[in-house]
Amino acid sequence: MTALLSSLRQICGAAQVLTHEDPATDLSPWELDWRKRIRGRALAVVRPGSTAEVAAVVKACAAAGTAIVPQGGNTGLVVGGVPDDTGTQIVLSLGRMQAVRAIDPANLTITVEAGCVLQNLQAAAEAAGFLFPLSLGAEGSCTIGGNLGTNAGGTQVLRYGNTRELCLGLEVVTAQGEVWHGLTGLRKDNTGYDLRNLMIGSEGTLGVITAATMKLYPQPAAQLTAWAAVPSMQAAVDLLGLAHQRLGPGLTGFEVMGQFALSLVDKHYPQLRVPLWQQTPWCVLLENSDSENEAHARAQFESLLEAAMEAGCVTDAVVAENLSQARGLWHIRESITLAQAEEGLNIKHDISIPVSRIPAFVAETDALLAQHIPGVRMVDFGHLGDGNLHYNVQAPAGADGPAFLRDFEDQVNTLVFDQVKRFDGSISAEHGVGELKVGKLPNYKDPTALAMMRAVKQALDPHNIMNPGRVLRP
Ligand code: FAD
Ligand code: MLT
Ligand code: ZN
């Protein structure tokens, strides 16, 4: 191990290889996952500054048989980006590789390094007069490498797709330490297997993404946000149908939020002034991005909301008057995750179900959970427009969070995932498998698909050094 550490220091510089040898160095930011579910112990945290350094680090680790855990902003929610507790794995942090390498306005593309923080990528696109639409609550610290690694979703998927749909080309260091130069800005390329899409969503188990060419879009002429009270989940689905009909591609966001989820925001962040939540079981946040102008957008929104009130699927609504009000409404939505964390440990889910079946899924599964765990509290919210619900389970009021997880997590996951399967859904719509779902995946994934995944892993990483034990267990 000492020989490996000294090679890594030669490759990246001594200051970029952090270990527990120095008691003054705190490795918690790289070893503890965002939800504080798992604290791993790394042999070292290595911070290369270039693709060539990443390749040399991977080669050195491969020669030593040392496992590598790629890490971006460490905001992942399924324990995929932190090391295990053996003290034998290295964390390969891409955090120093942040450059915007190129912008091609005519081709509508931007090429960035993997450690570029999502918010900085959005800002670079905006400064060039474009929109980079990927948007999520962790955008101030997650990186595009991590977004690609998890195929992150977020709040604009309805119109622009997941991170996968936004990516045209990748630069990747393979498990052997070779560099795949795939930074094409092509929208069409039918020359064989789609390696880019194989790497995206592989959660660091097949290689290290070092740079990416991403799509840019024109900025909308106007963007309006509304907050609507709806009387039931079915009413929220009906409102979604109306919004699709009336706004067409202008509908860029459609988020649902349950009353208890909003009550947690109100409790932990009262200064945010959550509207309408006390009078209704569900609220919906809608965004209309218009290519004409604000007056057009507002007229469209108002007529949609009037029609929805007449149809009985909206009982009350507010339309943001200006950008700062719109940001405030989005901030409330994005604060649910933090408010839930403040409330205590909980069991998180990021399931997807065909939109049409979500009301029945929620009604049935809520009833089953209440039967099993009297007093259980449901923190439901999410990207209803994509059929993606954060169907989270919080301990009964006053119960001890860690004890609740110990006693009920496995049971609750099985109950919820069995229901997801019955409703033809997926047990992970956006956060990925990581370590938290790896044990359950074989029960819910088609066995032939799993066998093909294992064959891919064996072919690309035969010595299992890339993020071992995540996504697939040997
Ligand atoms: P990390 O957490 O560092 O890593 C995540 C995974 O990607 C790990 O398996 C890691 O090994 C791998 N990885 C990281 N970098 C690379 C690389 N360069 N090459 C190969 N593999 C790599 N997710 C959503 O999808 N939608 C949301 O709306 C959303 N909202 C969130 C809100 C909050 C408040 C928080 C805390 C998280 C949220 N997330 C959401 C989850 C998380 O932000 C995303 O999964 C994000 O994509 C992770 O990026 P990261 O840079 O932090 O990656
Ligand atoms: C979100 O949509 O806010 C995220 O996916 C985070 C979460 O599930 O808490
Ligand atoms: Zn989400």
Side-chain angles (χ1 to χ4, degrees), residues 111-439:
T111 299
V112 288
E113 292 184 345
C116 182
V117 169
L118 176 56
Q119 205 165 60
N120 296 342
L121 170 47
Q122 294 164 345
E126 194 179 340
F130 296 103
L131 170 75
F132 180 66
L134 183 65
S135 179
L136 43 129
E139 64 199 20
S141 45
C142 67
T143 62
I144 192 65
N147 303 148
L148 288 157
T150 57
N151 185 28
T155 53
Q156 303 279 297
V157 173
L158 182 60
R159 165 73 175 84
Y160 298 100
N162 293 301
T163 311
R164 176 174 278 126
E165 275 82 42
L166 299 172
C167 179
L168 293 173
L170 289 181
E171 179 184 86
V172 171
V173 171
T174 68
Q176 292 70 36
E178 304 300 329
V179 181
W180 166 36
H181 297 282
L183 282 180
T184 161
L186 301 176
R187 283 174 168 75
K188 294 180 125 180
D189 177 8
N190 280 351
T191 54
Y193 303 141
D194 194 337
L195 300 175
R196 176 193 66 206
N197 280 341
L198 196 55
M199 286 292 162
I200 298 173
S202 65
E203 301 181 48
T205 63
L206 299 179
V208 185
I209 295 166
T210 48
T213 298
M214 308 300 295
K215 291 182 191 170
L216 294 175
Y217 290 83
Q219 291 275 7
Q223 211 162 37
L224 284 191
T225 302
W227 183 284
V230 299
S232 64
M233 185 58 101
Q234 184 57 53
V237 170
D238 295 343
L239 175 62
L240 175 65
L242 271 181
H244 274 307
Q245 259 174 29
R246 291 184 172 241
L247 305 180
L251 180 65
T252 45
F254 194 97
E255 300 284 315
V256 74
M257 297 154 290
Q259 189 178 49
F260 182 61
L262 291 174
S263 80
L264 292 181
V265 178
D266 182 68
K267 173 174 169 188
H268 295 287
Y269 307 109
Q271 73 281 11
L272 296 186
R273 296 167 177 273
V274 182
L276 308 181
W277 70 275
Q278 275 152 316
Q279 64 192 56
T280 183
W282 299 95
C283 287
V284 168
L285 187 58
L286 304 98
E287 186 183 75
N288 181 16
S289 299
D290 196 281
S291 55
E292 293 190 23
N293 54 46
E294 185 168 333
H296 183 253
R298 201 168 283 280
Q300 263 193 328
F301 236 173
E302 279 165 7
S303 113
L304 164 68
L305 292 170
E306 265 168 37
M309 281 184 185
E310 263 169 41
C313 50
V314 166
T315 51
D316 201 353
V318 286
V319 179
E321 287 297 326
N322 50 43
L323 195 60
S324 124
Q325 277 183 12
R327 286 205 177 118
L329 294 176
W330 276 106
H331 188 51
I332 293 168
R333 155 64 184 89
E334 300 296 9
S335 299
I336 296 176
T337 307
L338 295 159
Q340 203 192 347
E342 289 288 329
E343 188 68 7
L345 278 174
N346 52 76
I347 305 172
K348 279 181 93 65
H349 297 120
D350 65 309
I351 56 175
S352 57
I353 311 269
V355 172
S356 51
R357 306 186 68 190
I358 284 187
F361 169 87
V362 171
E364 269 188 33
T365 316
D366 277 4
L368 285 172
L369 283 166
Q371 215 179 315
H372 276 72
I373 313 170
V376 74
R377 298 173 298 166
M378 300 306 304
V379 188
D380 293 347
F381 64 99
H383 321 288
L384 184 64
D386 315 326
N388 171 195
L389 206 57
H390 296 304
Y391 188 73
N392 300 333
V393 183
Q394 193 100 29
D400 177 55
F404 175 69
L405 252 65
R406 191 190 58 228
D407 298 341
F408 290 107
E409 186 170 21
D410 190 62
Q411 206 185 108
V412 164
N413 283 342
T414 302
L415 188 155
V416 172
F417 294 165
D418 283 355
Q419 282 288 96
V420 167
K421 190 172 179 177
R422 228 168 63 66
F423 279 81
D424 301 319
S426 165
I427 67 167
S428 175
E430 57 175 14
H431 298 161
V433 178
E435 186 158 317
L436 287 189
K437 293 175 211 144
V438 70

Side-chain angles (χ1 to χ4, degrees), residues 39-122:
R39 180 186 288 277
R41 185 174 173 85
L43 171 65
V45 173
V46 184
R47 302 189 299 169
S50 67
T51 302
E53 286 183 12
V54 173
V57 166
V58 174
K59 271 200 174 123
C61 289
T66 294
I68 298 166
V69 182
Q71 192 183 92
N74 194 16
T75 67
L77 298 173
V78 291
V79 188
V82 290
D84 68 15
D85 60 4
T86 59
T88 62
Q89 304 187 320
I90 73 145
V91 172
L92 198 163
S93 166
L94 280 295
R96 288 177 62 226
M97 293 180 58
Q98 304 179 356
V100 175
R101 289 197 190 160
I103 295 182
D104 183 342
N107 197 44
L108 290 171
T109 52
I110 183 166
T111 299
V112 288
E113 292 184 345
C116 182
V117 169
L118 176 56
Q119 205 165 60
N120 296 342
L121 170 47
Q122 294 164 345

